[in-house]
Amino acid sequence: MNFQNEADAVRALAKIIERGHVYKGTKPVYWSWGAHTALAEAEVEYQDKTSLSIDVRFKPADEASFLAKFSLDGDSAGPVSVVIWTTTPWTLPGNQAVTIHPELSYALVEVDLGAGQERIMVAEEMVDAVMKRWGAESYRVVARALGESLERQVLRHPFYERDSLLVLGDYVTTDSGTGCVHTAPDHGVDDFYNSQRYGIELLNNVGPEGKFNEHVELFAGEHVIKVDQHMVEVLEAHGALVSNVPYKHSYPYCWRTKTPVIYRATPQWFVSMEQKGLRQQALDEISKVKWVPGWGEARIHGMIANRPDWCISRQRYWGIPIPLFVHKSTGELHPETLPVMEKSSAEHCQKPVYKLGLIPPVKT
């Protein structure tokens, strides 16, 4: 790349920092295990993929306390569980909660799915569709409860000796699944932000190559894309698996390596769309531009209105290094950040940025 162009890119970044739009944070981002790096939305392409979809039981830690939240319709019997549905079985070791909608009615359904009579909680309006999907012909609703009344009930993880909290989230829908959403804050944006509200921390289960880290019980060293069969075996051994079937859907892929991407929580640098009003500023400017063809305005407006914060850091030596110095303990930017960036830009017109000595080719 032309040195002047690279210097101008650094200057542009300096202006964005000066205006308060850049921050460092840890949250789930698109992660290419094929390229070992975070990705922005523009580096992701969608393809049809057949995943394994599974329904999994989560049993209450205190069944009596859990049942006390329901309005019972007569007598019923059988062990109780809350059932979730997911197309990413590999995220189950990261599960720390199950999310339900505060305004939905949840039904306790008495049914025999082949392991004896049991009582399963799903969203009431989904009962018939869920039972049909499971092939259950005989079942009955024996109790009901409003989602908000079940907040903070404690469930047990399906195969680990730890708890999973019932939490509330407005993003839960009844379009698919069971109305009870498996929640792993390391591996989903909604999961992450909702878990923060309940003080749930990250687990850091998955490394940059897409393999489970050594501390992950049962699955350490296995690749997340190849773990489905083992996951099914573990769930079956714990009596937690209700159903597992192939599911074809549109799925994000890394456009460079052509490998399916995952969500992985890692520290990255972002351009915030909200903290200094960047989103609204951009939307205001869009209306001042003459667009040819005219439909381009609506397309760009929709992209800006709905886009998340922009992840600008990478874990590869691609493009231009981010020339920032941060405090080792606090992570705060050096107070002379902007003058340093300008100096590096001026000197860079004669040398590549990583040869200045001022800016080492560090991975961010």
Side-chain angles (χ1 to χ4, degrees):
M1 183 182 287
N2 180 276
F3 293 168
Q4 181 65 56
N5 290 343
E6 290 185 335
D8 289 342
V10 171
R11 286 192 175 102
L13 177 61
K15 290 182 179 178
I16 297 171
I17 293 171
E18 184 179 20
R19 293 171 183 174
H21 298 307
V22 173
Y23 70 96
K24 188 176 185 181
T26 299
K27 62 182 179 180
V29 294
Y30 285 127
W31 184 270
S32 171
W33 52 264
H36 305 174
T37 185
L39 300 176
E41 281 195 329
E43 295 170 296
V44 170
E45 59 188 14
Y46 283 80
Q47 301 177 21
D48 286 341
K49 180 180 183 294
T50 299
S51 300
L52 182 68
S53 70
I54 57 175
D55 295 273
V56 180
R57 298 179 181 91
F58 284 70
K59 296 181 179 181
D62 184 338
E63 189 172 289
S65 173
F66 184 78
L67 288 173
K69 300 294 182 179
F70 287 81
S71 299
L72 300 174
D73 298 339
D75 295 332
S76 64
V80 176
S81 62
V82 174
V83 174
I84 64 91
W85 175 81
T86 181
T87 59
T88 54
W90 67 268
T91 60
L92 280 174
N95 175 276
Q96 298 193 72
V98 172
T99 305
I100 57 178
H101 197 291
E103 297 176 4
L104 282 179
S105 174
Y106 285 85
L108 205 60
V109 183
E110 188 179 72
V111 63
D112 186 345
L113 297 173
Q117 188 168 284
E118 60 181 309
R119 291 171 289 179
I120 287 176
M121 189 187 94
V122 299
E124 184 174 10
E125 66 184 79
M126 301 183 73
V127 169
D128 291 339
V130 170
M131 294 300 145
K132 181 179 179 180
R133 181 160 60 83
W134 292 344
E137 297 181 356
S138 178
Y139 56 91
R140 69 187 182 103
V141 174
V142 297
R144 295 171 176 83
L146 193 63
E148 64 180 2
S149 70
L150 298 167
E151 185 180 21
R152 294 188 181 276
Q153 282 292 303
V154 179
L155 308 176
R156 295 296 289 168
H157 191 279
F159 48 78
Y160 289 147
E161 290 298 320
R162 69 170 189 241
D163 293 334
S164 185
L165 195 65
L166 257 180
V167 300
L168 304 180
D170 291 337
Y171 59 87
V172 175
T173 72
T174 54
D175 296 337
S176 59
T178 64
C180 307
V181 177
H182 150 55
T183 301
D186 287 76
H187 306 303
V189 176
D190 287 335
D191 300 30
F192 174 78
Y193 285 115
N194 204 42
S195 294
Q196 280 193 321
R197 295 174 49 225
Y198 290 89
I200 298 173
E201 302 290 337
L202 299 172
L203 296 176
N204 188 31
N205 279 349
V206 179
E209 296 180 355
K211 295 181 179 180
F212 287 108
N213 292 325
E214 290 303 313
H215 69 267
V216 181
E217 188 180 351
L218 301 174
F219 305 103
E222 294 189 55
H223 200 287
V224 297
I225 301 300
K226 301 177 181 179
V227 78
D228 284 357
Q229 185 55 42
H230 188 193
M231 192 69 65
V232 166
E233 292 169 0
V234 169
L235 289 167
E236 287 179 332
H238 286 79
L241 186 67
V242 177
S243 169
N244 65 298
V245 296
Y247 180 77
K248 188 175 182 179
H249 57 149
S250 180
Y251 192 88
Y253 279 70
C254 171
W255 73 272
R256 289 185 180 88
T257 63
K258 309 304 179 185
T259 52
V261 303
I262 60 176
Y263 268 111
R264 178 172 176 256
T266 58
Q268 304 290 340
W269 290 94
F270 297 90
V271 172
S272 171
M273 297 298 292
E274 301 293 351
Q275 67 184 22
K276 291 292 183 178
L278 180 59
R279 189 188 309 279
Q280 191 57 53
Q281 293 171 29
L283 292 175
D284 292 343
E285 292 302 317
I286 286 172
S287 63
K288 300 175 184 177
V289 175
K290 180 180 179 180
W291 294 85
V292 180
W295 53 259
E297 179 176 357
R299 181 172 182 269
I300 296 299
H301 189 282
M303 290 173 62
I304 297 299
N306 298 308
R307 74 156 294 124
D309 290 352
W310 177 22
C311 178
I312 59 174
S313 52
R314 299 293 179 272
Q315 284 62 52
R316 308 293 288 178
Y317 297 129
W318 291 334
I320 305 168
I322 298 177
L324 300 177
F325 290 99
V326 296
H327 193 284
K328 288 184 178 180
S329 299
T330 67
E332 294 293 322
L333 284 175
H334 191 284
E336 297 298 315
T337 290
L338 297 179
V340 166
M341 294 182 77
E342 175 53 38
K343 181 179 179 182
S344 68
S345 299
E347 294 183 16
H348 181 56
C349 292
Q350 286 76 42
K351 295 181 180 180
V353 92
Y354 62 85
K355 289 185 178 180
L356 294 176
L358 180 65
I359 308 166
V362 295
K363 298 181 183 180
T364 56

